[in-house]
Amino acid sequence: MIKKVLVANRGEIAVRVMRSCREMGIRSVAVYSDADRNSMHVRYADEAYRIGPPPSRESYLNVEAIIGAAKSSGADAIHPGYGFLSENASFSARCRQEGIIFVGPDPYAITTMGDKIIARQTMIKAGVPVVPGTTEKLKDEQEALEIARQIGVPVMIKASAGGGGKGMRLVKHLDEVGSAFRRARSEAINAFGDDSVYIEKYIESPHHIEFQILADNHGNVIHLFERECSIQRRHQKVIEETPSPLMNPELRREMGETAVQAAKAVNYKGAGTIEFIVSDNLEYYFLEMNTRLQVEHPVTERVVGVDLVKEQISIANGNPLPFRQEDLRQTGHSIQCRIYAEDPDNNFMPNPGIIKHITEPHGLGLRCDGYVYEGYEIPIYYDPMITKLISWGETRVEAIARMKRALYEYKITGVKTNIKFLEKIMDTRDFIEGKYNTHFIENNEAMLHASRPCGIECEDMAIMAAFIDYIAKMESIQPPRYTDELGSNWKDFGRKRNVLRL
Ligand code: ADP
Ligand code: ADP
Ligand code: MG
């Protein structure tokens, strides 16, 4: 039985995992770099161990230091969160060697799904539809050109080891194949230390729809329905929701079964996600599998009523899944917005710094998964995501209204954030109507980047206009004056409130 879990991560996801541990009566151990000494996950944990200097390579990716902390603390399991070591097969193997439970799949599943070329081969064998394209590494530019010609442009040249939207090039014309091939390859070697690239057909008007999977050690594999993740910037998700506005019950059943089949093909254990690209005419193709918990997992938790971290730990403990496929239902609608410390007016440049003031939203139908607090300095070394806002409503309309209300309540000063940008998305017609694909942000560029007059927000303008109007009315009745009895004009105005209303 797992009694103590070391969380090999930082930020919101580390806090998120520890929260479930606390509910389960499991002690949590934090690890931290020098840049995270004051971080919330360190404060929240029952114990904390320093693992190195700020750069990830020397801390959150430092396997020796993390294993060392696990041993010193006597942790019997390691939860990797997402990013960092979560999809590192040799780390999961190393945990096993050391007698520590890795809360995630075995090295075989991670290796097979972590390499997109091998994953494609495996899926084809399992009868899962993949995006048309190559199943071998491209040898050279010449071969890339020949294949692009056969498949027909547009195509994508993608890094086999890719992740986080990196190492991917869209090719619209055949004469761009050479440069796209070279760029994808150099990005791949720099980011992932592996220069393998392959080609697949570019699916036009693409929708990114993924299925959440849970698999135990007793042969049970189920899905927890879909997440719509087509609101993206640079191939990275910004807003996610479930159910998907594109989905229908028949397609949901079929894609869900396909996702289960994909997980079974690698003898998957734990929580994972099968990502699909879906075309406008509802043809779907396997894109990749993420063999870990995802950033957007809370929308599924809210609509299906399952704590995914608890299930991960329970599976790692060897328990069978506590429910069957037919027990699961989607109730209502949930939307997640990723809040980043970044400047949307300056090409979304990360904007780390000290949080001077923060008021987080609360109230019915809302979840706020974050880790920053007033006076906290967001380090420059890591991902600038600071919070995830998750709204729930009986209907999609209600979930959107709640999200708008939450974004309105959310106040942060000291660092720039994308909150206003997200508010504008909530007001966009295509989003409200649920008619969008992965081109949404570029298609609505003008609306989403519309500058506001004098840099003053509309809300402030409205308050100022109302105030000017109020003063004008006061002046027309009784010009403001200073009198000893009243003390000041402000008190004077205040006393007239009963007569004059805004
Ligand atoms: P999700 O589908 O959950 O949004 P992403 O692919 O966007 O997942 O990645 C989640 C997090 O993991 C992001 O912070 C991203 O930067 C990081 N990440 C993804 N792939 C890698 C990788 N190969 N190496 C390091 N970090 C990665
Ligand atoms: P990563 O590992 O970086 O998450 P994915 O293969 O999951 O890479 O693709 C990320 C995003 O890139 C997708 O959600 C989609 O928007 C876009 N994309 C990837 N492949 C294709 C494709 N063949 N056709 C259209 N869009 C694609
Ligand atoms: Mg992906």
Side-chain angles (χ1 to χ4, degrees):
M1 278 296 279
I2 295 172
K3 293 202 181 67
K4 200 188 256 195
V5 171
L6 180 144
V7 183
N9 216 300
R10 64 175 305 281
E12 73 82 20
I13 194 61
V15 176
R16 158 73 193 93
V17 171
M18 289 174 193
R19 282 182 165 144
S20 285
C21 289
R22 190 165 295 269
E23 287 178 25
M24 296 172 89
I26 293 172
R27 290 179 67 79
S28 54
V29 180
V31 290
Y32 63 94
S33 74
D34 291 333
D36 274 336
R37 195 173 287 276
N38 295 317
S39 201
M40 184 71 97
H41 76 281
V42 177
R43 295 183 175 191
Y44 193 93
D46 295 306
E47 292 169 48
Y49 292 79
R50 177 189 176 271
I51 47 167
S56 308
R57 290 254 144 252
E58 298 167 58
S59 50
Y60 298 104
L61 295 171
N62 182 344
V63 172
E64 293 316 313
I66 291 169
I67 297 286
K71 296 204 145 175
S72 312
S73 64
D76 25 40
I78 295 185
H79 192 300
Y82 54 70
F84 296 128
L85 295 170
S86 62
E87 291 178 287
N88 184 315
S90 55
F91 179 65
S92 113
R94 179 69 193 280
C95 290
R96 282 188 163 191
Q97 277 165 22
E98 301 287 346
I100 302 165
I101 296 169
F102 177 78
V103 182
D106 54 40
Y108 165 75
I110 300 178
T111 310
T112 309
M113 288 304 198
D115 184 306
K116 291 184 181 176
I117 294 174
I118 299 174
R120 285 166 62 78
Q121 295 167 354
T122 312
M123 291 303 106
I124 291 167
K125 254 189 238 151
V128 172
V130 304
V131 183
T134 48
T135 48
E136 299 291 339
K137 172 181 172 171
L138 290 174
K139 285 189 209 73
D140 49 33
E141 270 180 58
Q142 192 50 41
E143 193 190 30
L145 185 62
E146 273 163 35
I147 292 166
R149 202 176 275 131
Q150 280 166 26
I151 302 174
V153 283
V155 294
M156 280 198 120
I157 301 187
K158 294 171 72 169
S160 194
K166 287 202 198 89
M168 211 180 295
R169 292 275 151 192
L170 171 60
V171 179
K172 289 186 177 155
H173 304 286
L174 284 176
D175 56 10
E176 296 160 7
V177 170
S179 69
F181 173 81
R182 289 191 298 274
R183 283 172 150 208
R185 215 158 69 153
S186 77
E187 212 171 297
I189 190 90
N190 290 332
F192 314 111
D194 175 356
D195 71 355
S196 310
V197 296
Y198 67 103
I199 291 194
E200 63 184 31
K201 178 86 188 148
Y202 181 76
I203 306 300
E204 312 241 14
S205 310
H207 299 259
H208 176 122
I209 299 181
E210 57 187 35
F211 275 73
Q212 176 69 51
I213 293 290
L214 278 178
D216 65 19
N217 294 288
H218 305 272
N220 304 305
V221 186
I222 57 161
H223 71 82
L224 291 89
F225 310 104
E226 81 278 10
R227 288 187 288 261
E228 168 67 67
C229 308
S230 299
I231 307 283
Q232 302 184 348
R233 210 179 59 79
R234 293 194 183 147
H235 307 304
Q236 280 204 284
K237 302 153 191 165
V238 181
I239 295 176
E240 301 95 347
E241 62 176 311
T242 188
S244 162
L246 191 73
M247 195 54 75
N248 63 61
E250 180 52 28
L251 184 64
R252 176 175 293 122
R253 195 189 50 73
E254 200 183 312
M255 287 179 73
E257 279 170 14
T258 308
V260 167
Q261 200 181 328
K264 281 184 174 164
V266 290
N267 198 15
Y268 198 78
K269 309 271 173 4
T273 297
I274 310 290
E275 296 188 335
F276 294 99
I277 277 282
V278 186
S279 69
D280 261 346
N281 54 0
L282 306 185
E283 277 159 355
Y284 62 90
Y285 307 93
F286 170 88
L287 194 58
E288 66 158 343
M289 180 173 194
N290 289 149
T291 55
R292 55 171 163 85
L293 192 66
Q294 273 184 297
V295 178
E296 57 274 23
H297 76 277
V299 292
T300 299
E301 294 189 318
R302 190 60 188 82
V303 161
V304 187
V306 170
D307 179 331
L308 288 167
V309 174
K310 265 186 200 167
E311 295 310 327
Q312 282 187 300
I313 295 173
S314 171
I315 291 167
N317 255 328
N319 298 321
L321 287 173
F323 29 70
R324 294 160 302 172
Q325 188 68 60
E326 55 269 32
D327 299 330
L328 301 179
R329 298 270 174 285
Q330 291 170 296
T331 306
H333 198 100
S334 184
I335 302 174
Q336 171 177 288
C337 282
R338 301 188 186 197
I339 313 285
Y340 287 92
E342 64 184 13
D343 183 0
D345 296 328
N346 187 13
N347 203 23
F348 296 88
M349 200 100 107
N351 197 268
I354 297 174
I355 310 253
K356 283 203 191 114
H357 169 83
I358 181 163
T359 306
E360 291 193 323
H362 298 286
L364 187 62
L366 196 71
R367 168 173 170 183
C368 181
D369 272 28
Y371 79 104
V372 301
Y373 53 86
E374 216 155 271
Y376 176 72
E377 181 167 9
I378 301 165
I380 57 168
Y381 301 95
Y382 316 108
D383 195 279
M385 190 176 79
I386 53 177
T387 313
K388 302 182 313 202
L389 280 186
I390 304 104
S391 75
W392 179 86
E394 297 273 355
T395 59
R396 186 169 186 270
V397 170
E398 190 177 48
I400 293 176
R402 286 220 167 108
M403 183 57 81
K404 285 180 67 169
R405 186 264 292 173
L407 291 165
Y408 161 80
E409 286 179 12
Y410 206 152
K411 307 284 181 226
I412 296 187
T413 60
V415 296
K416 292 196 168 112
T417 72
N418 63 337
I419 293 173
K420 292 280 177 232
F421 182 76
L422 295 165
E423 281 188 295
K424 287 187 225 167
I425 294 181
M426 293 294 135
D427 280 333
T428 306
R429 195 166 140 192
D430 291 350
F431 184 77
I432 294 168
E433 292 181 351
K435 288 184 189 140
Y436 62 81
N437 58 41
T438 63
H439 301 306
F440 171 84
I441 289 181
E442 59 196 78
N443 287 350
N444 290 281
E445 191 85 36
M447 151 93 185
L448 299 175
H449 286 283
S451 61
R452 301 190 188 252
C454 325
I456 299 171
E457 304 300 342
C458 287
E459 191 192 315
D460 299 339
M461 286 281 269
I463 292 169
M464 278 163 61
F467 187 65
I468 290 165
D469 184 53
Y470 178 64
I471 291 180
K473 279 179 190 150
M474 287 297 293
E475 283 181 341
S476 67
I477 294 164
Q478 188 185 49
R481 63 194 160 80
Y482 180 82
T483 65
D484 280 343
E485 310 95 84
L486 290 170
S488 80
N489 288 334
W490 294 100
K491 281 189 184 167
D492 194 6
F493 282 176
R495 278 166 201 195
K496 299 288 179 205
R497 274 243 175 92
N498 292 336
V499 188
L500 267 172
R501 287 186 193 282
L502 283 176

